[in-house]
Amino acid sequence: GAVLAILILLLFLRDTSTAVDEDYRTRTLLQHSSEVLVLLNADLSEQYHHDAFTGRHGPVTLPVGRTHLSCLATSDRQRFIESVRLLEPGRRAKLRYRLRVNGSGWRWVQANVTNRLDDPGTRALVVNYRDVTAEQLGRAEIKRRQAELRKTGESLQLRMERLRNLHRVAQIAASDNISLDVILKRVLQEVAPEDSADSRVFIASNEQLTLVADSYREAFPAGSPADHETRRLAVRALDQCKTLTFSAAIDSDVPEIQQLGYQLGFAIPFRKSGTRGVTVALLRFPPEDVTEMRNYTETITGFFTS
Protein backbone atom coordinates (compact mmCIF):
# COMPACT_ATOMS: atom_id res chain seq x y z
CA GLY A 1 0.00 0.00 0.00
CA ALA A 2 2.81 2.38 0.86
CA VAL A 3 4.54 1.64 -2.46
CA LEU A 4 1.34 2.34 -4.38
CA ALA A 5 0.86 5.61 -2.53
CA ILE A 6 4.41 6.68 -3.36
CA LEU A 7 3.92 5.83 -7.06
CA ILE A 8 0.69 7.81 -7.21
CA LEU A 9 2.39 10.76 -5.52
CA LEU A 10 5.29 10.67 -7.98
CA LEU A 11 2.90 10.45 -10.90
CA PHE A 12 0.93 13.40 -9.59
CA LEU A 13 4.07 15.45 -9.08
CA ARG A 14 5.33 14.60 -12.56
CA ASP A 15 2.06 15.53 -14.26
CA THR A 16 1.76 18.72 -12.32
CA SER A 17 5.29 19.71 -13.20
CA THR A 18 4.65 18.98 -16.87
CA ALA A 19 1.43 21.01 -16.81
CA VAL A 20 3.20 23.90 -15.15
CA ASP A 21 5.98 23.75 -17.74
CA GLU A 22 3.48 23.70 -20.59
CA ASP A 23 1.52 26.60 -19.13
CA TYR A 24 4.69 28.63 -18.60
CA ARG A 25 5.89 27.86 -22.11
CA THR A 26 2.51 28.88 -23.59
CA ARG A 27 2.42 32.17 -21.66
CA THR A 28 6.00 32.96 -22.62
CA LEU A 29 5.33 32.31 -26.31
CA LEU A 30 2.22 34.46 -26.21
CA GLN A 31 4.06 37.34 -24.53
CA HIS A 32 6.67 37.31 -27.31
CA SER A 33 4.17 36.88 -30.11
CA SER A 34 3.44 39.75 -32.48
CA GLU A 35 -0.05 38.43 -33.09
CA VAL A 36 -3.25 38.58 -31.09
CA LEU A 37 -5.03 35.40 -30.07
CA VAL A 38 -8.79 35.45 -29.60
CA LEU A 39 -10.98 32.46 -28.76
CA LEU A 40 -14.64 32.81 -29.73
CA ASN A 41 -17.60 30.67 -28.76
CA ALA A 42 -20.01 29.35 -31.36
CA ASP A 43 -22.20 32.45 -30.85
CA LEU A 44 -19.07 34.60 -31.50
CA SER A 45 -18.86 35.79 -27.90
CA GLU A 46 -15.35 35.85 -26.44
CA GLN A 47 -14.01 33.23 -24.07
CA TYR A 48 -10.36 34.36 -24.18
CA HIS A 49 -8.45 37.34 -25.54
CA HIS A 50 -4.66 37.66 -25.43
CA ASP A 51 -4.04 41.32 -26.29
CA ALA A 52 -0.29 41.68 -25.77
CA PHE A 53 -0.16 42.99 -29.33
CA THR A 54 3.05 44.97 -29.98
CA GLY A 55 3.60 46.49 -33.39
CA ARG A 56 5.48 49.32 -35.01
CA HIS A 57 3.09 51.85 -33.46
CA GLY A 58 3.41 50.59 -29.88
CA PRO A 59 0.99 48.55 -27.76
CA VAL A 60 -2.35 48.05 -29.45
CA THR A 61 -5.31 46.86 -27.39
CA LEU A 62 -9.07 46.91 -27.75
CA PRO A 63 -11.10 49.51 -25.85
CA VAL A 64 -12.09 48.46 -22.35
CA GLY A 65 -15.32 46.50 -22.25
CA ARG A 66 -15.41 45.92 -25.99
CA THR A 67 -15.23 42.54 -27.68
CA HIS A 68 -13.36 41.69 -30.84
CA LEU A 69 -16.60 41.51 -32.85
CA SER A 70 -17.96 44.82 -31.53
CA CYS A 71 -14.71 46.62 -32.49
CA LEU A 72 -14.95 45.62 -36.15
CA ALA A 73 -15.90 48.30 -38.67
CA THR A 74 -19.62 48.11 -39.41
CA SER A 75 -19.06 47.42 -43.10
CA ASP A 76 -16.67 44.54 -42.25
CA ARG A 77 -18.60 42.99 -39.36
CA GLN A 78 -21.28 41.22 -41.41
CA ARG A 79 -18.66 39.84 -43.79
CA PHE A 80 -16.72 38.48 -40.78
CA ILE A 81 -19.85 36.85 -39.32
CA GLU A 82 -20.88 35.25 -42.61
CA SER A 83 -17.37 33.93 -43.30
CA VAL A 84 -17.02 32.40 -39.83
CA ARG A 85 -20.45 30.78 -39.84
CA LEU A 86 -19.71 29.09 -43.16
CA LEU A 87 -16.41 27.74 -41.83
CA GLU A 88 -16.44 23.94 -41.53
CA PRO A 89 -14.78 22.16 -38.56
CA GLY A 90 -11.01 22.14 -38.88
CA ARG A 91 -11.01 24.62 -41.78
CA ARG A 92 -9.36 28.03 -41.84
CA ALA A 93 -10.38 31.35 -43.38
CA LYS A 94 -8.11 34.32 -44.09
CA LEU A 95 -9.79 37.69 -43.59
CA ARG A 96 -8.68 41.32 -43.71
CA TYR A 97 -10.74 43.96 -41.95
CA ARG A 98 -10.65 47.17 -39.92
CA LEU A 99 -10.53 47.09 -36.13
CA ARG A 100 -10.84 49.95 -33.63
CA VAL A 101 -7.99 49.86 -31.09
CA ASN A 102 -6.95 52.00 -28.14
CA GLY A 103 -4.81 54.99 -29.00
CA SER A 104 -4.62 54.23 -32.73
CA GLY A 105 -8.16 54.58 -34.05
CA TRP A 106 -8.93 52.27 -36.95
CA ARG A 107 -6.31 49.70 -37.89
CA TRP A 108 -6.25 47.14 -40.68
CA VAL A 109 -5.64 43.58 -39.46
CA GLN A 110 -4.91 40.30 -41.23
CA ALA A 111 -6.66 37.43 -39.44
CA ASN A 112 -6.63 33.65 -39.69
CA VAL A 113 -9.84 32.18 -38.28
CA THR A 114 -9.82 28.43 -37.59
CA ASN A 115 -12.89 26.42 -36.59
CA ARG A 116 -11.81 24.32 -33.57
CA LEU A 117 -15.26 24.03 -32.00
CA ASP A 118 -15.19 20.23 -32.35
CA ASP A 119 -11.73 19.92 -30.80
CA PRO A 120 -12.17 18.73 -27.16
CA GLY A 121 -9.03 20.58 -26.16
CA THR A 122 -10.10 23.92 -27.63
CA ARG A 123 -13.87 24.15 -28.18
CA ALA A 124 -13.52 27.55 -29.84
CA LEU A 125 -13.12 29.53 -33.00
CA VAL A 126 -9.44 30.52 -32.95
CA VAL A 127 -8.64 33.97 -34.32
CA ASN A 128 -5.02 35.02 -34.84
CA TYR A 129 -4.50 38.48 -36.25
CA ARG A 130 -1.75 41.02 -36.81
CA ASP A 131 -1.56 44.71 -37.70
CA VAL A 132 -1.19 45.27 -41.47
CA THR A 133 -2.20 48.94 -41.58
CA ALA A 134 1.05 50.11 -43.17
CA GLU A 135 0.79 47.39 -45.80
CA GLN A 136 -2.85 48.24 -46.53
CA LEU A 137 -2.08 51.95 -46.88
CA GLY A 138 0.79 51.06 -49.20
CA ARG A 139 -1.55 49.00 -51.37
CA ALA A 140 -4.07 51.84 -51.50
CA GLU A 141 -1.34 54.30 -52.52
CA ILE A 142 -0.13 51.95 -55.27
CA LYS A 143 -3.68 51.58 -56.61
CA ARG A 144 -4.16 55.35 -56.52
CA ARG A 145 -0.95 55.95 -58.47
CA GLN A 146 -1.84 53.23 -60.97
CA ALA A 147 -5.21 54.87 -61.53
CA GLU A 148 -3.50 58.24 -62.05
CA LEU A 149 -1.08 56.70 -64.56
CA ARG A 150 -3.96 55.06 -66.46
CA LYS A 151 -5.83 58.35 -66.52
CA THR A 152 -2.72 60.20 -67.69
CA GLY A 153 -2.11 57.60 -70.41
CA GLU A 154 -5.72 57.82 -71.58
CA SER A 155 -5.51 61.62 -71.59
CA LEU A 156 -2.29 61.56 -73.62
CA GLN A 157 -3.83 59.12 -76.10
CA LEU A 158 -6.88 61.35 -76.41
CA ARG A 159 -4.72 64.42 -76.94
CA MET A 160 -2.68 62.68 -79.65
CA GLU A 161 -5.85 61.63 -81.42
CA ARG A 162 -7.15 65.18 -81.24
CA LEU A 163 -3.90 66.56 -82.65
CA ARG A 164 -4.28 64.19 -85.60
CA ASN A 165 -7.87 65.37 -85.99
CA LEU A 166 -6.79 69.00 -85.97
CA HIS A 167 -4.23 68.28 -88.67
CA ARG A 168 -6.97 66.81 -90.85
CA VAL A 169 -9.20 69.77 -90.00
CA ALA A 170 -6.50 72.16 -91.18
CA GLN A 171 -6.25 70.27 -94.47
CA ILE A 172 -10.03 70.32 -94.94
CA ALA A 173 -10.27 74.04 -94.13
CA ALA A 174 -7.67 74.73 -96.82
CA SER A 175 -9.80 72.99 -99.48
CA ASP A 176 -10.91 74.99 -102.50
CA ASN A 177 -13.99 74.84 -104.68
CA ILE A 178 -16.33 73.42 -102.01
CA SER A 179 -18.95 75.27 -100.00
CA LEU A 180 -18.47 76.32 -96.40
CA ASP A 181 -21.34 74.03 -95.41
CA VAL A 182 -19.49 71.03 -96.84
CA ILE A 183 -16.21 72.07 -95.21
CA LEU A 184 -17.96 72.45 -91.83
CA LYS A 185 -19.68 69.10 -92.19
CA ARG A 186 -16.42 67.34 -93.08
CA VAL A 187 -14.69 68.99 -90.13
CA LEU A 188 -17.37 67.69 -87.77
CA GLN A 189 -17.10 64.21 -89.25
CA GLU A 190 -13.42 64.22 -88.31
CA VAL A 191 -13.79 65.50 -84.74
CA ALA A 192 -17.27 64.23 -83.82
CA PRO A 193 -18.01 60.84 -85.40
CA GLU A 194 -21.44 59.23 -85.78
CA ASP A 195 -23.19 62.59 -86.28
CA SER A 196 -22.84 63.41 -82.57
CA ALA A 197 -22.45 67.16 -83.19
CA ASP A 198 -23.53 69.97 -85.48
CA SER A 199 -22.44 73.57 -85.87
CA ARG A 200 -23.53 76.94 -87.25
CA VAL A 201 -21.21 79.85 -88.06
CA PHE A 202 -22.38 83.50 -88.05
CA ILE A 203 -20.55 86.61 -89.25
CA ALA A 204 -21.32 90.04 -87.74
CA SER A 205 -22.06 92.62 -90.43
CA ASN A 206 -23.74 96.00 -89.94
CA GLU A 207 -24.91 95.05 -86.45
CA GLN A 208 -26.50 91.92 -87.91
CA LEU A 209 -25.48 88.28 -87.71
CA THR A 210 -25.37 86.51 -91.05
CA LEU A 211 -25.29 82.71 -91.27
CA VAL A 212 -22.35 81.69 -93.47
CA ALA A 213 -22.01 77.95 -92.74
CA ASP A 214 -24.32 75.30 -91.34
CA SER A 215 -23.58 71.58 -91.04
CA TYR A 216 -27.29 70.68 -90.81
CA ARG A 217 -29.40 73.36 -92.49
CA GLU A 218 -32.43 71.09 -92.69
CA ALA A 219 -32.79 71.21 -88.89
CA PHE A 220 -32.60 75.02 -88.75
CA PRO A 221 -34.80 76.50 -91.50
CA ALA A 222 -34.50 80.28 -91.76
CA GLY A 223 -36.96 81.95 -89.37
CA SER A 224 -37.74 78.73 -87.47
CA PRO A 225 -37.76 78.65 -83.62
CA ALA A 226 -34.55 76.57 -83.63
CA ASP A 227 -32.90 79.16 -85.92
CA HIS A 228 -33.95 81.99 -83.56
CA GLU A 229 -32.60 80.14 -80.50
CA THR A 230 -29.14 79.64 -81.98
CA ARG A 231 -29.05 83.26 -83.17
CA ARG A 232 -29.94 84.51 -79.67
CA LEU A 233 -27.08 82.44 -78.24
CA ALA A 234 -24.70 83.86 -80.85
CA VAL A 235 -25.75 87.44 -80.07
CA ARG A 236 -25.18 86.91 -76.33
CA ALA A 237 -21.71 85.44 -76.91
CA LEU A 238 -20.79 88.26 -79.30
CA ASP A 239 -22.00 90.98 -76.88
CA GLN A 240 -20.21 89.42 -73.89
CA CYS A 241 -17.06 88.60 -75.90
CA LYS A 242 -16.70 85.20 -74.23
CA THR A 243 -17.63 81.59 -74.83
CA LEU A 244 -21.04 80.63 -73.48
CA THR A 245 -21.79 77.09 -72.36
CA PHE A 246 -25.41 76.00 -72.23
CA SER A 247 -27.20 72.80 -71.31
CA ALA A 248 -30.49 71.88 -72.92
CA ALA A 249 -31.50 70.03 -69.75
CA ILE A 250 -30.88 73.08 -67.52
CA ASP A 251 -31.43 76.18 -69.64
CA SER A 252 -35.13 76.68 -70.20
CA ASP A 253 -34.67 79.18 -73.07
CA VAL A 254 -33.53 76.54 -75.59
CA PRO A 255 -36.52 74.14 -75.87
CA GLU A 256 -36.21 73.79 -79.65
CA ILE A 257 -32.55 72.83 -79.41
CA GLN A 258 -33.45 70.24 -76.80
CA GLN A 259 -36.27 68.98 -79.03
CA LEU A 260 -33.71 68.33 -81.78
CA GLY A 261 -31.80 66.03 -79.42
CA TYR A 262 -28.90 68.32 -78.49
CA GLN A 263 -27.85 68.18 -74.85
CA LEU A 264 -24.94 70.59 -74.64
CA GLY A 265 -23.65 73.52 -76.64
CA PHE A 266 -21.06 76.28 -76.90
CA ALA A 267 -21.38 79.72 -78.45
CA ILE A 268 -17.81 80.79 -79.30
CA PRO A 269 -17.09 84.35 -80.47
CA PHE A 270 -14.10 84.90 -82.79
CA ARG A 271 -12.28 87.77 -84.48
CA LYS A 272 -10.13 87.17 -87.57
CA SER A 273 -8.57 89.89 -89.74
CA GLY A 274 -11.10 92.46 -88.58
CA THR A 275 -14.06 90.13 -89.05
CA ARG A 276 -16.15 89.24 -86.03
CA GLY A 277 -18.41 86.25 -85.69
CA VAL A 278 -19.69 83.41 -83.54
CA THR A 279 -19.59 79.63 -83.96
CA VAL A 280 -22.39 77.72 -82.24
CA ALA A 281 -21.47 74.08 -81.58
CA LEU A 282 -24.21 71.63 -80.55
CA LEU A 283 -23.50 68.19 -78.99
CA ARG A 284 -25.95 65.31 -78.76
CA PHE A 285 -23.92 63.50 -76.06
CA PRO A 286 -22.52 65.43 -73.09
CA PRO A 287 -18.78 64.80 -72.52
CA GLU A 288 -17.33 63.72 -69.18
CA ASP A 289 -15.18 66.85 -68.97
CA VAL A 290 -17.14 69.88 -70.16
CA THR A 291 -14.25 72.32 -69.68
CA GLU A 292 -11.86 70.21 -71.74
CA MET A 293 -14.45 69.79 -74.48
CA ARG A 294 -15.07 73.54 -74.56
CA ASN A 295 -11.33 74.20 -74.98
CA TYR A 296 -11.14 71.58 -77.71
CA THR A 297 -14.14 73.08 -79.51
CA GLU A 298 -12.61 76.55 -79.28
CA THR A 299 -9.43 75.22 -80.92
CA ILE A 300 -11.37 73.59 -83.75
CA THR A 301 -13.32 76.82 -84.24
CA GLY A 302 -10.04 78.72 -84.49
CA PHE A 303 -8.85 76.37 -87.25
CA PHE A 304 -12.12 76.65 -89.15
CA THR A 305 -12.57 80.43 -88.91
CA SER A 306 -9.00 81.05 -90.06
Side-chain angles (χ1 to χ4, degrees), residues 30 33 39 45 88 141 216 263:
L30 285 173
S33 172
L39 300 182
S45 61
E88 297 178 355
E141 179 63 15
Y216 192 13
Q263 298 186 39

Side-chain angles (χ1 to χ4, degrees), residues 29 45 56 100 116 139 147 154-155 159 176 185 201 225 259 267-268 278 280 297 306:
L29 290 172
S45 61
R56 294 176 58 189
R100 185 181 292 279
R116 307 290 293 180
R139 287 184 179 183
E154 291 170 357
S155 178
R159 289 176 185 275
D176 295 325
K185 192 167 186 176
V201 181
Q259 187 69 26
I268 306 168
V278 178
V280 178
T297 306
S306 292

Side-chain angles (χ1 to χ4, degrees), residues 255-267:
E256 295 298 326
I257 290 176
Q258 183 179 24
Q259 187 69 26
L260 290 171
Y262 301 109
Q263 298 186 39
L264 186 72
F266 307 103

Side-chain angles (χ1 to χ4, degrees), residues 11-303:
L11 182 63
F12 173 76
L13 290 174
R14 186 194 65 181
D15 288 345
T16 302
S17 175
T18 302
V20 170
D21 288 345
E22 283 296 322
D23 183 62
Y24 177 76
R25 182 185 295 112
T26 300
R27 285 187 287 107
T28 301
L29 290 172
L30 285 173
Q31 289 172 0
H32 290 82
S33 172
S34 63
E35 296 192 355
V36 173
L37 172 65
V38 182
L39 300 182
L40 302 178
N41 295 310
D43 63 356
L44 301 185
S45 61
E46 285 190 13
Q47 59 173 268
Y48 179 78
H49 192 137
H50 171 74
D51 58 6
F53 184 7
T54 304
R56 294 176 58 189
H57 301 280
V60 180
T61 58
L62 298 181
V64 177
R66 300 291 296 276
T67 65
H68 181 75
L69 188 63
S70 67
C71 288
L72 264 69
T74 303
S75 57
D76 295 332
R77 189 177 302 141
Q78 189 59 37
R79 180 168 56 86
F80 179 91
I81 293 172
E82 291 175 356
S83 299
V84 170
R85 286 181 175 170
L86 292 172
L87 199 57
E88 297 178 355
R91 302 302 295 273
R92 175 183 296 181
K94 182 178 290 187
L95 301 172
R96 183 172 291 221
Y97 48 87
R98 288 161 297 169
L99 191 70
R100 185 181 292 279
V101 297
N102 280 338
S104 298
W106 290 104
R107 310 292 295 174
W108 279 95
V109 300
Q110 179 73 52
N112 288 317
V113 184
T114 307
N115 186 344
R116 307 290 293 180
L117 291 170
D118 290 348
D119 181 1
T122 309
R123 298 292 185 189
L125 291 161
V126 182
V127 183
N128 294 94
Y129 67 87
R130 59 188 176 86
D131 189 350
V132 293
T133 304
E135 177 187 335
Q136 186 70 25
L137 293 177
R139 287 184 179 183
E141 179 63 15
I142 289 173
K143 288 183 179 179
R144 185 187 68 79
R145 292 188 179 185
Q146 287 175 338
E148 286 185 351
L149 287 173
R150 283 195 298 270
K151 187 174 181 180
T152 300
E154 291 170 357
S155 178
L156 287 174
Q157 184 177 0
L158 179 61
R159 289 176 185 275
M160 289 300 296
E161 179 61 29
R162 287 180 172 177
L163 283 174
R164 287 191 288 268
N165 289 343
L166 291 176
H167 177 68
R168 291 193 291 269
V169 167
Q171 291 179 318
I172 294 170
S175 301
D176 295 325
N177 302 321
I178 57 175
S179 69
L180 291 177
D181 284 4
V182 173
I183 291 177
L184 183 57
K185 192 167 186 176
R186 287 177 58 184
V187 166
L188 288 173
Q189 288 173 347
E190 290 291 339
V191 299
E194 301 179 1
D195 298 324
S196 59
D198 286 301
S199 183
R200 312 188 83 201
V201 181
F202 299 90
I203 294 294
S205 177
N206 299 323
E207 303 302 323
Q208 297 289 327
L209 282 179
T210 303
L211 180 68
V212 295
D214 193 336
S215 66
Y216 192 13
R217 284 186 182 267
E218 296 85 351
F220 301 93
S224 67
D227 178 46
H228 287 309
E229 284 182 7
T230 55
R231 287 178 182 273
R232 283 200 304 270
L233 291 169
V235 169
R236 283 169 49 197
L238 191 66
D239 290 343
Q240 297 180 29
C241 297
K242 66 177 184 180
T243 297
L244 300 180
T245 303
F246 58 92
S247 170
I250 298 175
D251 299 321
S252 58
D253 59 342
V254 288
E256 295 298 326
I257 290 176
Q258 183 179 24
Q259 187 69 26
L260 290 171
Y262 301 109
Q263 298 186 39
L264 186 72
F266 307 103
I268 306 168
F270 61 84
R271 181 186 293 270
K272 297 292 181 182
S273 303
T275 300
R276 295 192 309 148
V278 178
T279 296
V280 178
L282 304 169
L283 286 70
R284 291 189 172 84
F285 306 105
E288 293 183 3
D289 191 333
V290 174
T291 301
E292 184 179 1
M293 178 56 71
R294 182 186 63 199
N295 295 336
Y296 181 51
T297 306
E298 288 176 339
T299 302
I300 295 169
T301 300
F303 268 87

